[in-house]
Amino acid sequence: MSASAQPSSESPPGGGRPDPGPAGAATLAKASAENFPVAPFFLPAAWRDDLMTVYGFCRLVDDAGDGDLADPAGTAALLGVPAPPEPTGPSQDLGLTPSAQSGPPAPDRPSPAGTAFRLALLDGLDRDLDRVFESALDPARGDAPRHPLLRPLVPLVDRHGLTPEPFRRLIEANRVDQTTTRYRDYDELIAYCTLSADPVGRLVLALAGFATPERIAMSDDICRALQIVEHLQDVAEDLARGRIYLPAEDLERFGVTEADLAAPSAGAAVRELIRFEADRARTLLDRGAPLVGTVRGRLRLLLAGFTAGGYAALAAVEGVGYDVLAQQAKPDKRRLAAKAAAIFAKGR
């Protein structure tokens, strides 16, 4: 997820939430860096707690898959996963602490040991998810989840009748990231988004009790758009991890090479490619935005905020002249707020 708006209301709610520990608190604190408010102040405290619980799981899984955990060894110990091997030098960095390197890692050269460790962590989170649903089904017989960010999921699953599928899709998306670093075409990228993006919107609708087939379809469009624009913001960062989320057929169509994406700034061909992908994301947002008009009250405002976050991120990409290599395109908070108000009023 990409850094942008930082609303002051996004600190993790307190109340009855279990103590997430220092590493879990660091994970939850990343909510302030998302393109849209995760659990805004205008929601009731119970809603904010529920949303932060889901966010904690999503962020934890993403950080495990990206090698961005605050305490990978501690997380491994909690989940019963073998401790990460120690890198012995820059050329053998495991991708556990990307900031420790003097420059971005060479693309296409992932560490086998680092990949194996990340996959083991994801398997450990999958097993802990089993404990969540076993405990929700029968607290007396099920083992409690081991990770503090998964423990609050137990009452959440029980209250809202959530199913394992969206959570497992998010884990699977991060497994895919360990083995798939390129996408042939747009359809293949969208198939990835069904794992990495769709589940988030579906969980929000399920928590609110508004998950109908029509709303789910519009939510999927919004979430896929948010995922695509996040990829546009993070082209350089993703390439440093050895990944390219721009479809290969589009690179060929615009005459863009991978070397062009590694340049310090975008040439004309790269900017035209980014413009093309941004237009695709905008089309998805336009198609999904009427979801806002199907609900009322605070949920309508929340969905307007999510949708506006996508439009504001697209405006930021346009604002840097589609040169996402020279600087990260960050949405303007005032533009986001104004767009959210407009979407709330119009219902789309």
Side-chain angles (χ1 to χ4, degrees):
M1 297 189 177
S2 21
S4 54
Q6 298 188 9
S8 60
S9 60
E10 299 313 312
S11 56
R17 287 182 55 85
D19 181 3
T27 298
L28 293 173
K30 293 182 180 181
S32 65
E34 303 297 347
N35 276 333
F36 47 83
V38 173
F41 71 94
F42 56 78
L43 295 178
W47 279 32
R48 295 200 304 271
D49 280 354
D50 288 353
L51 289 169
M52 285 304 298
T53 293
V54 168
Y55 176 79
F57 174 84
C58 296
R59 185 74 265 170
L60 175 65
V61 171
D62 276 357
D63 286 353
D66 286 341
D68 286 341
L69 290 171
D71 182 10
T75 302
L78 276 172
L79 298 174
V81 171
E86 292 292 332
T88 57
S91 65
Q92 293 179 306
D93 183 83
L94 300 178
L96 305 178
T97 54
S99 60
Q101 300 187 61
S102 59
D108 294 323
R109 294 171 59 186
S111 159
T115 297
F117 176 66
R118 292 191 291 273
L119 285 169
L121 281 176
L122 294 169
D123 288 345
L125 287 169
D126 208 348
R127 291 191 293 271
D128 221 28
L129 187 63
D130 285 338
R131 298 184 190 100
V132 167
F133 283 89
E134 289 165 1
S135 296
L137 184 64
D138 188 347
R141 297 181 60 185
D143 292 333
R146 297 179 180 180
H147 198 286
L149 290 179
L150 269 73
R151 291 172 198 149
L153 284 175
V154 176
L156 196 69
V157 166
D158 184 55
R159 284 199 308 274
H160 298 284
L162 303 181
T163 65
E165 181 188 11
F167 299 99
R168 295 209 190 283
R169 283 195 189 190
L170 293 167
I171 294 173
E172 185 59 26
N174 281 272
R175 287 198 184 101
V176 169
D177 279 335
Q178 310 312 310
T179 57
T180 302
T181 60
R182 305 292 187 275
Y183 292 85
R184 289 191 306 270
D185 52 35
Y186 184 66
D187 288 344
E188 194 171 271
L189 181 65
I190 290 296
Y192 169 75
C193 290
T194 65
L195 301 175
S196 65
D198 293 7
V200 178
R202 294 182 181 208
L203 283 168
V204 170
L205 290 176
L207 292 177
F210 282 86
T212 64
E214 294 79 11
R215 290 190 180 104
I216 288 172
M218 289 185 281
S219 171
D220 287 349
D221 282 335
I222 292 171
C223 290
R224 292 168 189 179
L226 295 176
Q227 180 76 87
I228 289 171
V229 71
E230 184 177 300
H231 288 158
L232 300 183
Q233 292 173 297
D234 294 344
V235 169
E237 179 183 333
D238 290 333
L239 184 61
R241 298 182 189 275
R243 303 172 189 162
I244 296 177
Y245 293 102
L246 301 168
E249 72 172 12
D250 296 344
L251 268 70
E252 182 178 356
R253 172 181 177 179
F254 286 90
V256 173
T257 67
E258 295 192 11
D260 293 331
L261 299 180
S265 63
V270 172
R271 292 197 300 272
E272 284 304 309
L273 169 62
I274 299 302
R275 181 197 296 269
F276 176 75
E277 305 298 350
D279 287 345
R280 276 179 158 170
R282 187 180 302 278
T283 297
L284 287 171
L285 273 178
D286 290 345
R287 200 161 68 196
L291 170 67
V292 176
T294 71
V295 297
R296 294 291 180 267
R298 296 179 185 183
L299 177 60
R300 179 170 174 142
L301 188 54
L302 178 67
L303 297 181
F306 288 162
T307 308
Y311 283 115
L314 284 170
V317 170
E318 182 180 4
V320 299
Y322 301 99
D323 185 357
V324 294
L325 305 183
Q327 59 183 305
Q328 188 178 53
K330 297 183 178 181
D332 179 86
K333 288 186 284 186
R334 289 173 299 178
R335 183 189 292 268
L336 192 158
K339 187 65 174 178
I343 292 172
F344 176 83
K346 294 179 182 178
R348 57 177 303 145

